[in-house]
Amino acid sequence: MKVFKFGGASVKNADAIRNMCDIISSYSNEKLVVVISAMGKTTNALEAVIAAKLNNRNFEEEIELIYHYHHNICSELFDTNDLIFTEISEIFNDLRHELVQNYEYNQLYDQIVSKGEIISTRIIAAYLNKKDCNAEWLDAREYVRTDNSFREGRIDWRLTEELIRHDIAQKAAENILITQGFIGRSENNFTTTLGREGSDFTAAIFAYCLDAESVTVWKDVPGILNADPKIIPDAVLFSELPYKEAAEMTYYGASVIHPKTIKPLANKGIPLYVRSFDHPDEPGTIIHDCKIKALPPTIIIKNEQCLVSFKVIDYTFINEENLSMIFKSLSEIDMKINIMQNSAISFSIVVDYEFNKLEKLLESLKTHFDIRYNTGLKLITVKNYAQEILNKYRNDQRILLEQISRNNYRALIAP
């Protein structure tokens, strides 16, 4: 059993879908579960629909743009009387129905944004069957079960494994299975999502539960590089990486693999391949149980960072009680710390800038601390650094916060 995952870039238009289906069909003799994201920038477009609704604007125009985008792709792939056009129309009718329900924001988000994956997988399963490559569409929500946490559903591993093991292996013996990334079903039967860009994690969930031979994530890059080639042109391709190294890279913000992906695979020793869908014959990168003595420095850059500093109002020192209060508030609003640092009377954290979450954090702690924050910052992490690289990033930079450990250098930089 192999598990494949294709992201939005790999299915962004009709030609990309044809290419993806060619890759899948070349593995038609294998047992294969294929996890697929929403097409192109559909998730962003669906977020715009939600924003229009919440701001009391006409969201129908936004929906029509998304509908025509998918309709035009289908027009290039199918005959005009194909049933796929009816299926797509029904999904959009369901989307409109969800928009008029009385959901709170996070619940509304998951019911709407999840439609992107439903649409893309319906189209791709239909196209594979049209090309005589037997495919079966699976609703991931029937298998991936979570708690009731919208936008960051926590997996019920016992139930999920039981459901996946029950019939997926038998189904895969008969057809290529096409399912959705990023989505699951809550305890109270609503759609949940697993966190932005969570389709990699879905692939790892299926692989873990099926004791799969491997997972392959097909990307628009040749594999995992030691830096973003758009920023650093001479970035180096890793042929292999240990699980631990890859996990740390994702923690620090490397965007090639979702942070939650590595753990379930490492726990069962399932190798993860990162390969190019544009050059499917190239080996890419394998993440597995291995030891590498000398890795080249890895440079990870996260933009849109926010520095938040808490200062005790009565000029006492920052102590465990203060820290506990701050961490409790962060946990309650699901705000993740990228880096932290304290002095005698202040405690500073760096987080991804999300206005709604920041507003809640400030409100919950304003009576206990003098709080200052800066936005629009950049967090640079250099793993396995060399001195010349540190010199490059320390010179001519406005550094607001800096940390150096045995293996890692991190700096928060103002524009």
Side-chain angles (χ1 to χ4, degrees):
M1 177 79 71
K2 289 183 169 70
V3 178
F4 282 0
K5 181 264 176 174
F6 289 90
S10 65
V11 290
K12 64 184 178 181
N13 55 38
D15 285 341
I17 291 169
R18 291 186 187 100
N19 178 65
M20 185 207 72
C21 290
D22 286 343
I23 293 172
I24 292 173
S25 63
S26 69
Y27 290 85
S28 59
N29 293 326
E30 307 252 15
K31 290 183 178 180
L32 201 61
V33 176
V34 183
V35 175
I36 301 172
S37 301
M39 293 179 172
K41 301 295 184 182
T42 298
T43 301
N44 293 345
L46 288 166
E47 289 176 338
V49 171
I50 298 168
K53 172 185 166 57
L54 296 178
N55 290 306
N56 296 314
R57 299 197 315 268
N58 180 11
F59 52 73
E60 192 59 40
E61 291 181 7
E62 306 284 353
I63 293 175
E64 284 299 311
L65 288 173
I66 302 169
Y67 173 78
H68 285 297
Y69 167 66
H70 290 91
H71 188 278
N72 290 341
I73 289 174
C74 289
S75 295
E76 292 189 52
L77 298 174
F78 301 95
D79 297 330
T80 55
N81 60 348
D82 197 286
L83 286 175
I84 190 62
F85 292 98
T86 302
E87 289 184 22
I88 298 304
S89 293
E90 289 173 352
I91 296 170
F92 276 90
N93 288 338
D94 185 46
L95 185 152
R96 292 181 175 92
H97 172 74
E98 298 282 15
L99 281 165
V100 298
Q101 303 305 307
N102 187 27
Y103 297 139
E104 59 86 26
Y105 175 75
N106 287 337
Q107 184 175 4
L108 174 69
Y109 181 96
D110 283 3
Q111 310 321 299
I112 300 305
V113 170
S114 58
K115 296 294 187 289
E117 275 70 18
I118 301 297
I119 297 166
S120 68
T121 52
R122 283 291 188 189
I123 292 171
I124 289 156
Y127 183 69
L128 282 167
N129 283 315
K130 179 190 172 190
K131 302 299 287 184
D132 296 324
C133 188
N134 294 338
E136 180 177 352
W137 183 86
L138 293 183
D139 190 336
R141 296 168 295 187
E142 297 295 326
Y143 299 94
V144 179
R145 297 303 180 92
T146 75
D147 64 3
N148 294 324
S149 302
F150 296 106
R151 297 195 70 183
E152 197 75 41
R154 297 176 181 87
I155 303 300
D156 180 335
W157 284 98
R158 182 197 62 78
L159 179 56
T160 297
E161 185 167 9
E162 179 183 311
L163 292 168
I164 288 175
R165 283 185 177 276
H166 183 261
D167 63 358
I168 291 293
Q170 179 58 43
K171 287 178 179 290
E174 300 166 1
N175 295 293
I176 291 171
L177 304 182
I178 305 297
T179 195
Q180 307 78 39
F182 178 55
I183 67 174
R185 177 164 290 160
S186 71
E187 296 162 349
N188 53 10
N189 288 321
F190 283 98
T191 299
T192 52
T193 62
L194 309 183
R196 201 67 155 81
E197 309 293 343
S199 293
D200 295 344
F201 184 36
T202 301
I205 292 167
F206 275 94
Y208 176 92
C209 295
L210 292 165
D211 295 319
E213 175 187 333
S214 64
V215 173
T216 302
V217 176
W218 297 91
K219 305 282 290 187
D220 57 355
V221 291
I224 297 181
L225 301 154
N226 74 327
D228 184 343
K230 296 173 185 174
I231 301 172
I232 301 173
D234 58 351
V236 176
L237 175 69
F238 294 108
S239 60
E240 63 176 344
L241 281 172
Y243 289 120
K244 182 177 179 291
E245 186 74 16
E248 288 184 358
M249 288 169 63
T250 64
Y251 173 82
Y252 290 128
S255 59
V256 175
I257 298 294
H258 188 275
K260 294 180 181 178
T261 306
I262 304 296
K263 184 176 184 293
L265 301 180
N267 284 346
K268 287 201 172 180
I270 300 170
L272 171 63
Y273 295 87
V274 181
R275 297 173 62 187
S276 168
F277 57 73
D278 286 324
H279 304 283
D281 294 330
E282 295 181 0
T285 303
I286 177 173
I287 299 168
H288 61 148
D289 188 8
C290 65
K291 292 183 180 180
I292 302 175
K293 287 186 177 179
L295 285 165
T298 299
I299 302 160
I300 301 162
I301 299 174
K302 290 193 75 172
N303 294 307
E304 295 304 319
Q305 298 295 287
C306 177
L307 172 64
V308 188
S309 297
F310 305 89
K311 189 175 181 180
V312 180
I313 293 173
D314 61 3
Y315 298 100
T316 57
F317 295 145
I318 284 285
N319 58 29
E320 287 78 8
E321 184 180 347
N322 302 139
L323 295 175
S324 177
M325 190 184 307
I326 293 168
F327 285 130
K328 183 174 183 292
S329 292
L330 289 165
S331 177
E332 287 173 349
I333 60 177
D334 194 28
M335 203 171 199
K336 295 176 177 59
I337 299 173
N338 294 328
I339 192 171
M340 56 186 170
Q341 193 164 288
N342 68 283
S343 67
I345 60 172
S346 71
F347 177 66
S348 296
I349 61 173
V350 178
V351 295
D352 295 342
Y353 178 61
E354 296 177 81
F355 175 75
N356 291 337
K357 289 186 177 182
L358 179 62
E359 196 172 42
K360 289 178 182 177
L361 182 68
L362 299 179
E363 182 64 28
S364 69
L365 295 172
K366 66 181 182 182
T367 59
H368 301 281
F369 302 94
D370 176 21
I371 308 174
R372 308 288 176 89
Y373 68 91
N374 304 74
T375 61
L377 309 177
K378 177 167 63 177
L379 179 60
I380 295 174
T381 301
V382 184
K383 284 182 56 58
N384 311 310
Y385 63 83
Q387 189 60 47
E388 60 269 22
I389 292 182
L390 294 199
N391 295 339
K392 173 184 176 182
Y393 283 103
R394 299 179 91 176
N395 292 337
D396 302 321
Q397 302 275 13
R398 186 183 168 206
I399 297 175
L400 301 182
L401 185 152
E402 187 176 41
Q403 290 184 356
I404 303 177
S405 64
R406 290 186 181 90
N407 299 311
N408 301 327
Y409 170 76
R410 309 191 78 193
L412 185 70
I413 296 172

